[in-house]
PDB file of all heavy atoms in Angstrom:
ATOM      1  N   ALA R  13      -4.710  13.874   4.103  1.00 92.00           N
ATOM      2  CA  ALA R  13      -4.981  14.713   2.936  1.00 92.00           C
ATOM      3  C   ALA R  13      -5.896  15.840   3.348  1.00 92.00           C
ATOM      4  O   ALA R  13      -5.829  16.950   2.699  1.00 92.00           O
ATOM      5  CB  ALA R  13      -5.593  13.859   1.838  1.00 92.00           C
ATOM      6  N   ARG R  14      -6.732  15.638   4.338  1.00 89.00           N
ATOM      7  CA  ARG R  14      -7.613  16.728   4.763  1.00 89.00           C
ATOM      8  C   ARG R  14      -6.903  17.884   5.452  1.00 89.00           C
ATOM      9  O   ARG R  14      -7.448  18.947   5.631  1.00 89.00           O
ATOM     10  CB  ARG R  14      -8.673  16.127   5.733  1.00 89.00           C
ATOM     11  CG  ARG R  14      -9.573  15.090   5.081  1.00 89.00           C
ATOM     12  CD  ARG R  14     -10.092  14.033   6.059  1.00 89.00           C
ATOM     13  NE  ARG R  14     -10.899  14.604   7.146  1.00 89.00           N
ATOM     14  CZ  ARG R  14     -10.481  14.574   8.433  1.00 89.00           C
ATOM     15  NH1 ARG R  14      -9.303  14.038   8.789  1.00 89.00           N
ATOM     16  NH2 ARG R  14     -11.245  15.062   9.377  1.00 89.00           N
ATOM     17  N   HIS R  15      -5.639  17.653   5.832  1.00 90.00           N
ATOM     18  CA  HIS R  15      -4.832  18.669   6.467  1.00 90.00           C
ATOM     19  C   HIS R  15      -3.801  19.320   5.543  1.00 90.00           C
ATOM     20  O   HIS R  15      -3.104  20.199   5.944  1.00 90.00           O
ATOM     21  CB  HIS R  15      -4.073  18.053   7.668  1.00 90.00           C
ATOM     22  CG  HIS R  15      -4.963  17.609   8.775  1.00 90.00           C
ATOM     23  ND1 HIS R  15      -5.412  18.443   9.781  1.00 90.00           N
ATOM     24  CD2 HIS R  15      -5.518  16.400   9.066  1.00 90.00           C
ATOM     25  CE1 HIS R  15      -6.188  17.775  10.625  1.00 90.00           C
ATOM     26  NE2 HIS R  15      -6.280  16.537  10.187  1.00 90.00           N
ATOM     27  N   LEU R  16      -3.736  18.816   4.320  1.00 88.00           N
ATOM     28  CA  LEU R  16      -2.748  19.311   3.376  1.00 88.00           C
ATOM     29  C   LEU R  16      -3.363  20.361   2.455  1.00 88.00           C
ATOM     30  O   LEU R  16      -4.579  20.327   2.220  1.00 88.00           O
ATOM     31  CB  LEU R  16      -2.151  18.144   2.566  1.00 88.00           C
ATOM     32  CG  LEU R  16      -1.478  17.057   3.443  1.00 88.00           C
ATOM     33  CD1 LEU R  16      -1.020  15.881   2.575  1.00 88.00           C
ATOM     34  CD2 LEU R  16      -0.274  17.617   4.207  1.00 88.00           C
ATOM     35  N   THR R  17      -2.521  21.248   1.948  1.00 83.00           N
ATOM     36  CA  THR R  17      -3.058  22.436   1.246  1.00 83.00           C
ATOM     37  C   THR R  17      -2.904  22.373  -0.248  1.00 83.00           C
ATOM     38  O   THR R  17      -3.529  23.179  -0.926  1.00 83.00           O
ATOM     39  CB  THR R  17      -2.333  23.668   1.762  1.00 83.00           C
ATOM     40  OG1 THR R  17      -0.882  23.504   1.609  1.00 83.00           O
ATOM     41  CG2 THR R  17      -2.634  23.894   3.236  1.00 83.00           C
ATOM     42  N   THR R  18      -2.107  21.462  -0.797  1.00 85.00           N
ATOM     43  CA  THR R  18      -1.946  21.420  -2.254  1.00 85.00           C
ATOM     44  C   THR R  18      -2.255  20.001  -2.793  1.00 85.00           C
ATOM     45  O   THR R  18      -2.106  19.011  -2.060  1.00 85.00           O
ATOM     46  CB  THR R  18      -0.521  21.779  -2.692  1.00 85.00           C
ATOM     47  OG1 THR R  18       0.398  20.771  -2.263  1.00 85.00           O
ATOM     48  CG2 THR R  18      -0.105  23.152  -2.078  1.00 85.00           C
ATOM     49  N   SER R  19      -2.600  19.944  -4.028  1.00 84.00           N
ATOM     50  CA  SER R  19      -2.854  18.656  -4.670  1.00 84.00           C
ATOM     51  C   SER R  19      -1.600  17.769  -4.713  1.00 84.00           C
ATOM     52  O   SER R  19      -1.712  16.560  -4.581  1.00 84.00           O
ATOM     53  CB  SER R  19      -3.367  18.868  -6.095  1.00 84.00           C
ATOM     54  OG  SER R  19      -4.629  19.540  -6.063  1.00 84.00           O
ATOM     55  N   MET R  20      -0.450  18.414  -4.896  1.00 91.00           N
ATOM     56  CA  MET R  20       0.806  17.631  -4.921  1.00 91.00           C
ATOM     57  C   MET R  20       1.074  16.978  -3.594  1.00 91.00           C
ATOM     58  O   MET R  20       1.467  15.798  -3.516  1.00 91.00           O
ATOM     59  CB  MET R  20       1.970  18.546  -5.307  1.00 91.00           C
ATOM     60  CG  MET R  20       3.328  17.847  -5.391  1.00 91.00           C
ATOM     61  SD  MET R  20       3.304  16.552  -6.652  1.00 91.00           S
ATOM     62  CE  MET R  20       3.244  17.546  -8.144  1.00 91.00           C
ATOM     63  N   GLN R  21       0.825  17.693  -2.500  1.00 91.00           N
ATOM     64  CA  GLN R  21       1.010  17.087  -1.197  1.00 91.00           C
ATOM     65  C   GLN R  21       0.057  15.931  -0.964  1.00 91.00           C
ATOM     66  O   GLN R  21       0.467  14.875  -0.447  1.00 91.00           O
ATOM     67  CB  GLN R  21       0.807  18.168  -0.120  1.00 91.00           C
ATOM     68  CG  GLN R  21       1.889  19.239  -0.054  1.00 91.00           C
ATOM     69  CD  GLN R  21       1.519  20.356   0.893  1.00 91.00           C
ATOM     70  OE1 GLN R  21       0.352  20.541   1.279  1.00 91.00           O
ATOM     71  NE2 GLN R  21       2.482  21.154   1.253  1.00 91.00           N
ATOM     72  N   ARG R  22      -1.194  16.092  -1.351  1.00 91.00           N
ATOM     73  CA  ARG R  22      -2.152  15.060  -1.162  1.00 91.00           C
ATOM     74  C   ARG R  22      -1.817  13.844  -2.014  1.00 91.00           C
ATOM     75  O   ARG R  22      -1.920  12.696  -1.559  1.00 91.00           O
ATOM     76  CB  ARG R  22      -3.562  15.573  -1.450  1.00 91.00           C
ATOM     77  CG  ARG R  22      -4.051  16.578  -0.436  1.00 91.00           C
ATOM     78  CD  ARG R  22      -5.513  16.912  -0.629  1.00 91.00           C
ATOM     79  NE  ARG R  22      -5.719  17.798  -1.748  1.00 91.00           N
ATOM     80  CZ  ARG R  22      -5.680  19.153  -1.707  1.00 91.00           C
ATOM     81  NH1 ARG R  22      -5.446  19.742  -0.549  1.00 91.00           N
ATOM     82  NH2 ARG R  22      -5.898  19.861  -2.784  1.00 91.00           N
ATOM     83  N   ALA R  23      -1.426  14.070  -3.297  1.00 92.00           N
ATOM     84  CA  ALA R  23      -1.046  12.986  -4.164  1.00 92.00           C
ATOM     85  C   ALA R  23       0.151  12.209  -3.596  1.00 92.00           C
ATOM     86  O   ALA R  23       0.222  10.990  -3.663  1.00 92.00           O
ATOM     87  CB  ALA R  23      -0.768  13.510  -5.559  1.00 92.00           C
ATOM     88  N   SER R  24       1.099  12.960  -3.038  1.00 95.00           N
ATOM     89  CA  SER R  24       2.288  12.329  -2.456  1.00 95.00           C
ATOM     90  C   SER R  24       1.929  11.441  -1.292  1.00 95.00           C
ATOM     91  O   SER R  24       2.492  10.338  -1.134  1.00 95.00           O
ATOM     92  CB  SER R  24       3.304  13.397  -2.017  1.00 95.00           C
ATOM     93  OG  SER R  24       3.731  14.168  -3.119  1.00 95.00           O
ATOM     94  N   ALA R  25       0.984  11.852  -0.477  1.00 95.00           N
ATOM     95  CA  ALA R  25       0.535  11.020   0.647  1.00 95.00           C
ATOM     96  C   ALA R  25      -0.069   9.723   0.138  1.00 95.00           C
ATOM     97  O   ALA R  25       0.235   8.646   0.698  1.00 95.00           O
ATOM     98  CB  ALA R  25      -0.481  11.791   1.485  1.00 95.00           C
ATOM     99  N   PHE R  26      -0.872   9.786  -0.918  1.00 95.00           N
ATOM    100  CA  PHE R  26      -1.478   8.559  -1.432  1.00 95.00           C
ATOM    101  C   PHE R  26      -0.479   7.661  -2.107  1.00 95.00           C
ATOM    102  O   PHE R  26      -0.525   6.415  -1.964  1.00 95.00           O
ATOM    103  CB  PHE R  26      -2.598   8.937  -2.399  1.00 95.00           C
ATOM    104  CG  PHE R  26      -3.848   9.398  -1.731  1.00 95.00           C
ATOM    105  CD1 PHE R  26      -4.258  10.722  -1.811  1.00 95.00           C
ATOM    106  CD2 PHE R  26      -4.623   8.525  -0.947  1.00 95.00           C
ATOM    107  CE1 PHE R  26      -5.383  11.171  -1.182  1.00 95.00           C
ATOM    108  CE2 PHE R  26      -5.769   8.980  -0.308  1.00 95.00           C
ATOM    109  CZ  PHE R  26      -6.173  10.281  -0.415  1.00 95.00           C
ATOM    110  N   VAL R  27       0.473   8.234  -2.857  1.00 96.00           N
ATOM    111  CA  VAL R  27       1.521   7.437  -3.503  1.00 96.00           C
ATOM    112  C   VAL R  27       2.350   6.718  -2.431  1.00 96.00           C
ATOM    113  O   VAL R  27       2.692   5.559  -2.597  1.00 96.00           O
ATOM    114  CB  VAL R  27       2.390   8.300  -4.406  1.00 96.00           C
ATOM    115  CG1 VAL R  27       3.650   7.554  -4.880  1.00 96.00           C
ATOM    116  CG2 VAL R  27       1.598   8.797  -5.623  1.00 96.00           C
ATOM    117  N   PHE R  28       2.679   7.423  -1.379  1.00 96.00           N
ATOM    118  CA  PHE R  28       3.533   6.830  -0.339  1.00 96.00           C
ATOM    119  C   PHE R  28       2.733   5.687   0.307  1.00 96.00           C
ATOM    120  O   PHE R  28       3.289   4.586   0.541  1.00 96.00           O
ATOM    121  CB  PHE R  28       3.854   7.877   0.723  1.00 96.00           C
ATOM    122  CG  PHE R  28       4.624   7.318   1.907  1.00 96.00           C
ATOM    123  CD1 PHE R  28       5.993   7.024   1.778  1.00 96.00           C
ATOM    124  CD2 PHE R  28       4.001   7.048   3.121  1.00 96.00           C
ATOM    125  CE1 PHE R  28       6.709   6.497   2.844  1.00 96.00           C
ATOM    126  CE2 PHE R  28       4.710   6.511   4.158  1.00 96.00           C
ATOM    127  CZ  PHE R  28       6.054   6.248   4.054  1.00 96.00           C
ATOM    128  N   ALA R  29       1.483   5.893   0.646  1.00 97.00           N
ATOM    129  CA  ALA R  29       0.652   4.848   1.304  1.00 97.00           C
ATOM    130  C   ALA R  29       0.511   3.628   0.371  1.00 97.00           C
ATOM    131  O   ALA R  29       0.642   2.478   0.852  1.00 97.00           O
ATOM    132  CB  ALA R  29      -0.722   5.420   1.662  1.00 97.00           C
ATOM    133  N   ALA R  30       0.248   3.875  -0.880  1.00 97.00           N
ATOM    134  CA  ALA R  30       0.110   2.743  -1.827  1.00 97.00           C
ATOM    135  C   ALA R  30       1.423   1.997  -1.995  1.00 97.00           C
ATOM    136  O   ALA R  30       1.446   0.751  -2.080  1.00 97.00           O
ATOM    137  CB  ALA R  30      -0.354   3.265  -3.178  1.00 97.00           C
ATOM    138  N   SER R  31       2.548   2.719  -2.026  1.00 97.00           N
ATOM    139  CA  SER R  31       3.853   2.073  -2.178  1.00 97.00           C
ATOM    140  C   SER R  31       4.155   1.189  -0.972  1.00 97.00           C
ATOM    141  O   SER R  31       4.639   0.050  -1.136  1.00 97.00           O
ATOM    142  CB  SER R  31       4.951   3.155  -2.335  1.00 97.00           C
ATOM    143  OG  SER R  31       4.700   3.938  -3.501  1.00 97.00           O
ATOM    144  N   VAL R  32       3.892   1.678   0.228  1.00 97.00           N
ATOM    145  CA  VAL R  32       4.144   0.862   1.421  1.00 97.00           C
ATOM    146  C   VAL R  32       3.266  -0.363   1.394  1.00 97.00           C
ATOM    147  O   VAL R  32       3.727  -1.502   1.669  1.00 97.00           O
ATOM    148  CB  VAL R  32       3.853   1.673   2.705  1.00 97.00           C
ATOM    149  CG1 VAL R  32       3.884   0.779   3.928  1.00 97.00           C
ATOM    150  CG2 VAL R  32       4.860   2.787   2.842  1.00 97.00           C
ATOM    151  N   THR R  33       2.017  -0.239   0.988  1.00 97.00           N
ATOM    152  CA  THR R  33       1.075  -1.368   0.932  1.00 97.00           C
ATOM    153  C   THR R  33       1.611  -2.439  -0.030  1.00 97.00           C
ATOM    154  O   THR R  33       1.639  -3.630   0.283  1.00 97.00           O
ATOM    155  CB  THR R  33      -0.290  -0.910   0.509  1.00 97.00           C
ATOM    156  OG1 THR R  33      -0.824   0.006   1.476  1.00 97.00           O
ATOM    157  CG2 THR R  33      -1.260  -2.075   0.320  1.00 97.00           C
ATOM    158  N   VAL R  34       2.022  -2.012  -1.258  1.00 97.00           N
ATOM    159  CA  VAL R  34       2.510  -2.955  -2.220  1.00 97.00           C
ATOM    160  C   VAL R  34       3.779  -3.629  -1.780  1.00 97.00           C
ATOM    161  O   VAL R  34       3.942  -4.857  -1.949  1.00 97.00           O
ATOM    162  CB  VAL R  34       2.719  -2.227  -3.603  1.00 97.00           C
ATOM    163  CG1 VAL R  34       3.427  -3.126  -4.576  1.00 97.00           C
ATOM    164  CG2 VAL R  34       1.392  -1.784  -4.155  1.00 97.00           C
ATOM    165  N   LEU R  35       4.669  -2.871  -1.163  1.00 97.00           N
ATOM    166  CA  LEU R  35       5.968  -3.452  -0.726  1.00 97.00           C
ATOM    167  C   LEU R  35       5.777  -4.436   0.416  1.00 97.00           C
ATOM    168  O   LEU R  35       6.445  -5.476   0.464  1.00 97.00           O
ATOM    169  CB  LEU R  35       6.918  -2.332  -0.325  1.00 97.00           C
ATOM    170  CG  LEU R  35       7.476  -1.500  -1.471  1.00 97.00           C
ATOM    171  CD1 LEU R  35       8.239  -0.297  -0.956  1.00 97.00           C
ATOM    172  CD2 LEU R  35       8.372  -2.354  -2.391  1.00 97.00           C
ATOM    173  N   VAL R  36       4.854  -4.142   1.315  1.00 97.00           N
ATOM    174  CA  VAL R  36       4.534  -5.096   2.381  1.00 97.00           C
ATOM    175  C   VAL R  36       4.001  -6.383   1.804  1.00 97.00           C
ATOM    176  O   VAL R  36       4.448  -7.501   2.146  1.00 97.00           O
ATOM    177  CB  VAL R  36       3.559  -4.505   3.421  1.00 97.00           C
ATOM    178  CG1 VAL R  36       3.028  -5.565   4.361  1.00 97.00           C
ATOM    179  CG2 VAL R  36       4.202  -3.392   4.209  1.00 97.00           C
ATOM    180  N   GLY R  37       3.073  -6.257   0.865  1.00 97.00           N
ATOM    181  CA  GLY R  37       2.520  -7.450   0.226  1.00 97.00           C
ATOM    182  C   GLY R  37       3.611  -8.246  -0.527  1.00 97.00           C
ATOM    183  O   GLY R  37       3.653  -9.480  -0.415  1.00 97.00           O
ATOM    184  N   ALA R  38       4.461  -7.557  -1.276  1.00 97.00           N
ATOM    185  CA  ALA R  38       5.535  -8.233  -1.990  1.00 97.00           C
ATOM    186  C   ALA R  38       6.498  -8.957  -1.043  1.00 97.00           C
ATOM    187  O   ALA R  38       6.959 -10.060  -1.358  1.00 97.00           O
ATOM    188  CB  ALA R  38       6.316  -7.210  -2.838  1.00 97.00           C
ATOM    189  N   SER R  39       6.726  -8.376   0.129  1.00 97.00           N
ATOM    190  CA  SER R  39       7.612  -9.023   1.097  1.00 97.00           C
ATOM    191  C   SER R  39       7.046 -10.315   1.619  1.00 97.00           C
ATOM    192  O   SER R  39       7.755 -11.271   1.877  1.00 97.00           O
ATOM    193  CB  SER R  39       7.910  -8.077   2.248  1.00 97.00           C
ATOM    194  OG  SER R  39       6.795  -7.942   3.095  1.00 97.00           O
ATOM    195  N   ARG R  40       5.708 -10.372   1.735  1.00 97.00           N
ATOM    196  CA  ARG R  40       5.088 -11.601   2.208  1.00 97.00           C
ATOM    197  C   ARG R  40       5.232 -12.734   1.197  1.00 97.00           C
ATOM    198  O   ARG R  40       5.451 -13.895   1.580  1.00 97.00           O
ATOM    199  CB  ARG R  40       3.585 -11.376   2.482  1.00 97.00           C
ATOM    200  CG  ARG R  40       3.296 -10.274   3.477  1.00 97.00           C
ATOM    201  CD  ARG R  40       4.000 -10.493   4.809  1.00 97.00           C
ATOM    202  NE  ARG R  40       3.388 -11.536   5.615  1.00 97.00           N
ATOM    203  CZ  ARG R  40       3.927 -12.041   6.668  1.00 97.00           C
ATOM    204  NH1 ARG R  40       5.146 -11.681   7.077  1.00 97.00           N
ATOM    205  NH2 ARG R  40       3.288 -13.022   7.360  1.00 97.00           N
ATOM    206  N   VAL R  41       5.152 -12.379  -0.085  1.00 97.00           N
ATOM    207  CA  VAL R  41       5.358 -13.400  -1.146  1.00 97.00           C
ATOM    208  C   VAL R  41       6.847 -13.807  -1.146  1.00 97.00           C
ATOM    209  O   VAL R  41       7.197 -14.985  -1.243  1.00 97.00           O
ATOM    210  CB  VAL R  41       4.911 -12.866  -2.496  1.00 97.00           C
ATOM    211  CG1 VAL R  41       5.243 -13.881  -3.601  1.00 97.00           C
ATOM    212  CG2 VAL R  41       3.415 -12.567  -2.465  1.00 97.00           C
ATOM    213  N   TYR R  42       7.724 -12.815  -1.090  1.00 97.00           N
ATOM    214  CA  TYR R  42       9.185 -13.093  -1.134  1.00 97.00           C
ATOM    215  C   TYR R  42       9.587 -14.038   0.036  1.00 97.00           C
ATOM    216  O   TYR R  42      10.392 -14.953  -0.168  1.00 97.00           O
ATOM    217  CB  TYR R  42       9.957 -11.794  -1.028  1.00 97.00           C
ATOM    218  CG  TYR R  42      11.440 -11.972  -1.054  1.00 97.00           C
ATOM    219  CD1 TYR R  42      12.140 -11.907  -2.226  1.00 97.00           C
ATOM    220  CD2 TYR R  42      12.147 -12.243   0.104  1.00 97.00           C
ATOM    221  CE1 TYR R  42      13.540 -12.106  -2.278  1.00 97.00           C
ATOM    222  CE2 TYR R  42      13.534 -12.432   0.097  1.00 97.00           C
ATOM    223  CZ  TYR R  42      14.200 -12.345  -1.097  1.00 97.00           C
ATOM    224  OH  TYR R  42      15.587 -12.561  -1.145  1.00 97.00           O
ATOM    225  N   LEU R  43       9.041 -13.816   1.187  1.00 96.00           N
ATOM    226  CA  LEU R  43       9.366 -14.653   2.357  1.00 96.00           C
ATOM    227  C   LEU R  43       8.747 -16.045   2.266  1.00 96.00           C
ATOM    228  O   LEU R  43       9.060 -16.906   3.081  1.00 96.00           O
ATOM    229  CB  LEU R  43       8.892 -13.975   3.629  1.00 96.00           C
ATOM    230  CG  LEU R  43       9.596 -12.641   3.966  1.00 96.00           C
ATOM    231  CD1 LEU R  43       8.936 -11.989   5.171  1.00 96.00           C
ATOM    232  CD2 LEU R  43      11.080 -12.857   4.251  1.00 96.00           C
ATOM    233  N   GLY R  44       7.902 -16.267   1.290  1.00 94.00           N
ATOM    234  CA  GLY R  44       7.338 -17.592   1.075  1.00 94.00           C
ATOM    235  C   GLY R  44       6.161 -17.934   1.981  1.00 94.00           C
ATOM    236  O   GLY R  44       5.762 -19.097   2.036  1.00 94.00           O
ATOM    237  N   VAL R  45       5.594 -16.957   2.665  1.00 96.00           N
ATOM    238  CA  VAL R  45       4.516 -17.250   3.636  1.00 96.00           C
ATOM    239  C   VAL R  45       3.158 -16.993   3.073  1.00 96.00           C
ATOM    240  O   VAL R  45       2.136 -17.266   3.730  1.00 96.00           O
ATOM    241  CB  VAL R  45       4.725 -16.425   4.943  1.00 96.00           C
ATOM    242  CG1 VAL R  45       6.012 -16.851   5.629  1.00 96.00           C
ATOM    243  CG2 VAL R  45       4.731 -14.936   4.647  1.00 96.00           C
ATOM    244  N   HIS R  46       3.065 -16.426   1.827  1.00 96.00           N
ATOM    245  CA  HIS R  46       1.793 -16.176   1.207  1.00 96.00           C
ATOM    246  C   HIS R  46       1.871 -16.421  -0.301  1.00 96.00           C
ATOM    247  O   HIS R  46       2.900 -16.212  -0.930  1.00 96.00           O
ATOM    248  CB  HIS R  46       1.312 -14.743   1.449  1.00 96.00           C
ATOM    249  CG  HIS R  46       0.633 -14.519   2.741  1.00 96.00           C
ATOM    250  ND1 HIS R  46      -0.555 -15.083   3.054  1.00 96.00           N
ATOM    251  CD2 HIS R  46       0.982 -13.765   3.821  1.00 96.00           C
ATOM    252  CE1 HIS R  46      -0.926 -14.742   4.280  1.00 96.00           C
ATOM    253  NE2 HIS R  46       0.009 -13.921   4.766  1.00 96.00           N
ATOM    254  N   TYR R  47       0.746 -16.889  -0.835  1.00 96.00           N
ATOM    255  CA  TYR R  47       0.562 -16.873  -2.289  1.00 96.00           C
ATOM    256  C   TYR R  47       0.332 -15.441  -2.734  1.00 96.00           C
ATOM    257  O   TYR R  47      -0.209 -14.611  -1.968  1.00 96.00           O
ATOM    258  CB  TYR R  47      -0.644 -17.700  -2.680  1.00 96.00           C
ATOM    259  CG  TYR R  47      -0.542 -19.171  -2.363  1.00 96.00           C
ATOM    260  CD1 TYR R  47      -1.214 -19.711  -1.271  1.00 96.00           C
ATOM    261  CD2 TYR R  47       0.164 -20.024  -3.204  1.00 96.00           C
ATOM    262  CE1 TYR R  47      -1.146 -21.072  -1.006  1.00 96.00           C
ATOM    263  CE2 TYR R  47       0.212 -21.381  -2.962  1.00 96.00           C
ATOM    264  CZ  TYR R  47      -0.428 -21.903  -1.830  1.00 96.00           C
ATOM    265  OH  TYR R  47      -0.382 -23.246  -1.564  1.00 96.00           O
ATOM    266  N   PRO R  48       0.699 -15.073  -3.994  1.00 97.00           N
ATOM    267  CA  PRO R  48       0.362 -13.763  -4.482  1.00 97.00           C
ATOM    268  C   PRO R  48      -1.147 -13.450  -4.391  1.00 97.00           C
ATOM    269  O   PRO R  48      -1.536 -12.316  -4.132  1.00 97.00           O
ATOM    270  CB  PRO R  48       0.840 -13.816  -5.932  1.00 97.00           C
ATOM    271  CG  PRO R  48       1.945 -14.826  -5.929  1.00 97.00           C
ATOM    272  CD  PRO R  48       1.563 -15.852  -4.904  1.00 97.00           C
ATOM    273  N   SER R  49      -2.001 -14.446  -4.652  1.00 96.00           N
ATOM    274  CA  SER R  49      -3.427 -14.218  -4.584  1.00 96.00           C
ATOM    275  C   SER R  49      -3.877 -13.877  -3.142  1.00 96.00           C
ATOM    276  O   SER R  49      -4.869 -13.149  -2.976  1.00 96.00           O
ATOM    277  CB  SER R  49      -4.219 -15.423  -5.103  1.00 96.00           C
ATOM    278  OG  SER R  49      -3.825 -16.602  -4.451  1.00 96.00           O
ATOM    279  N   ASP R  50      -3.168 -14.373  -2.137  1.00 97.00           N
ATOM    280  CA  ASP R  50      -3.450 -13.988  -0.748  1.00 97.00           C
ATOM    281  C   ASP R  50      -3.264 -12.484  -0.572  1.00 97.00           C
ATOM    282  O   ASP R  50      -4.054 -11.784   0.086  1.00 97.00           O
ATOM    283  CB  ASP R  50      -2.546 -14.716   0.254  1.00 97.00           C
ATOM    284  CG  ASP R  50      -2.703 -16.195   0.229  1.00 97.00           C
ATOM    285  OD1 ASP R  50      -3.795 -16.709  -0.158  1.00 97.00           O
ATOM    286  OD2 ASP R  50      -1.757 -16.908   0.615  1.00 97.00           O
ATOM    287  N   VAL R  51      -2.144 -12.025  -1.119  1.00 97.00           N
ATOM    288  CA  VAL R  51      -1.795 -10.594  -1.013  1.00 97.00           C
ATOM    289  C   VAL R  51      -2.755  -9.725  -1.763  1.00 97.00           C
ATOM    290  O   VAL R  51      -3.236  -8.685  -1.240  1.00 97.00           O
ATOM    291  CB  VAL R  51      -0.346 -10.377  -1.506  1.00 97.00           C
ATOM    292  CG1 VAL R  51      -0.035  -8.897  -1.671  1.00 97.00           C
ATOM    293  CG2 VAL R  51       0.657 -11.037  -0.597  1.00 97.00           C
ATOM    294  N   ILE R  52      -3.108 -10.123  -2.962  1.00 97.00           N
ATOM    295  CA  ILE R  52      -4.103  -9.353  -3.752  1.00 97.00           C
ATOM    296  C   ILE R  52      -5.405  -9.268  -3.011  1.00 97.00           C
ATOM    297  O   ILE R  52      -6.034  -8.201  -2.937  1.00 97.00           O
ATOM    298  CB  ILE R  52      -4.288  -9.980  -5.159  1.00 97.00           C
ATOM    299  CG1 ILE R  52      -2.964  -9.843  -5.945  1.00 97.00           C
ATOM    300  CG2 ILE R  52      -5.416  -9.309  -5.892  1.00 97.00           C
ATOM    301  CD1 ILE R  52      -2.976 -10.650  -7.233  1.00 97.00           C
ATOM    302  N   ALA R  53      -5.847 -10.376  -2.453  1.00 97.00           N
ATOM    303  CA  ALA R  53      -7.106 -10.390  -1.719  1.00 97.00           C
ATOM    304  C   ALA R  53      -7.043  -9.458  -0.519  1.00 97.00           C
ATOM    305  O   ALA R  53      -8.002  -8.702  -0.229  1.00 97.00           O
ATOM    306  CB  ALA R  53      -7.432 -11.804  -1.248  1.00 97.00           C
ATOM    307  N   GLY R  54      -5.947  -9.462   0.210  1.00 97.00           N
ATOM    308  CA  GLY R  54      -5.819  -8.586   1.372  1.00 97.00           C
ATOM    309  C   GLY R  54      -5.825  -7.121   0.990  1.00 97.00           C
ATOM    310  O   GLY R  54      -6.487  -6.314   1.661  1.00 97.00           O
ATOM    311  N   ILE R  55      -5.167  -6.783  -0.107  1.00 98.00           N
ATOM    312  CA  ILE R  55      -5.169  -5.373  -0.543  1.00 98.00           C
ATOM    313  C   ILE R  55      -6.564  -4.958  -0.992  1.00 98.00           C
ATOM    314  O   ILE R  55      -6.968  -3.830  -0.708  1.00 98.00           O
ATOM    315  CB  ILE R  55      -4.130  -5.185  -1.703  1.00 98.00           C
ATOM    316  CG1 ILE R  55      -2.713  -5.355  -1.130  1.00 98.00           C
ATOM    317  CG2 ILE R  55      -4.287  -3.846  -2.374  1.00 98.00           C
ATOM    318  CD1 ILE R  55      -1.619  -5.315  -2.169  1.00 98.00           C
ATOM    319  N   LEU R  56      -7.300  -5.840  -1.651  1.00 98.00           N
ATOM    320  CA  LEU R  56      -8.663  -5.513  -2.071  1.00 98.00           C
ATOM    321  C   LEU R  56      -9.567  -5.240  -0.896  1.00 98.00           C
ATOM    322  O   LEU R  56     -10.281  -4.229  -0.858  1.00 98.00           O
ATOM    323  CB  LEU R  56      -9.231  -6.633  -2.928  1.00 98.00           C
ATOM    324  CG  LEU R  56      -8.624  -6.829  -4.326  1.00 98.00           C
ATOM    325  CD1 LEU R  56      -9.144  -8.121  -4.993  1.00 98.00           C
ATOM    326  CD2 LEU R  56      -8.926  -5.628  -5.229  1.00 98.00           C
ATOM    327  N   VAL R  57      -9.518  -6.104   0.113  1.00 97.00           N
ATOM    328  CA  VAL R  57     -10.396  -5.906   1.274  1.00 97.00           C
ATOM    329  C   VAL R  57      -9.973  -4.671   2.078  1.00 97.00           C
ATOM    330  O   VAL R  57     -10.820  -3.874   2.463  1.00 97.00           O
ATOM    331  CB  VAL R  57     -10.382  -7.159   2.163  1.00 97.00           C
ATOM    332  CG1 VAL R  57     -11.172  -6.910   3.441  1.00 97.00           C
ATOM    333  CG2 VAL R  57     -10.947  -8.361   1.438  1.00 97.00           C
ATOM    334  N   GLY R  58      -8.656  -4.521   2.318  1.00 97.00           N
ATOM    335  CA  GLY R  58      -8.177  -3.372   3.043  1.00 97.00           C
ATOM    336  C   GLY R  58      -8.467  -2.070   2.319  1.00 97.00           C
ATOM    337  O   GLY R  58      -8.818  -1.042   2.932  1.00 97.00           O
ATOM    338  N   GLY R  59      -8.284  -2.051   0.989  1.00 97.00           N
ATOM    339  CA  GLY R  59      -8.605  -0.877   0.215  1.00 97.00           C
ATOM    340  C   GLY R  59     -10.056  -0.507   0.289  1.00 97.00           C
ATOM    341  O   GLY R  59     -10.435   0.665   0.364  1.00 97.00           O
TER     342      GLY R  59
END
């Protein structure tokens, strides 16, 4: 975001990053290797 010139570009970068994070977490629950609360905890600490 520090290299981008418009608010739309910066917002898009954050939306993309957040989307990837959520989808990775959802995949761990779908695969049966994590509880949803495990994923929420990981996102909180990483965030």
Side-chain angles (χ1 to χ4, degrees):
R14 296 152 58 248
H15 294 274
L16 301 175
T17 56
T18 69
S19 296
M20 181 61 69
Q21 291 172 343
R22 291 188 285 271
S24 298
F26 284 111
V27 168
F28 177 78
S31 298
V32 171
T33 297
V34 170
L35 289 172
V36 168
S39 74
R40 303 305 285 168
V41 176
Y42 180 93
L43 295 172
V45 296
H46 276 295
Y47 295 102
S49 54
D50 298 336
V51 168
I52 293 170
I55 291 175
L56 290 172
V57 175

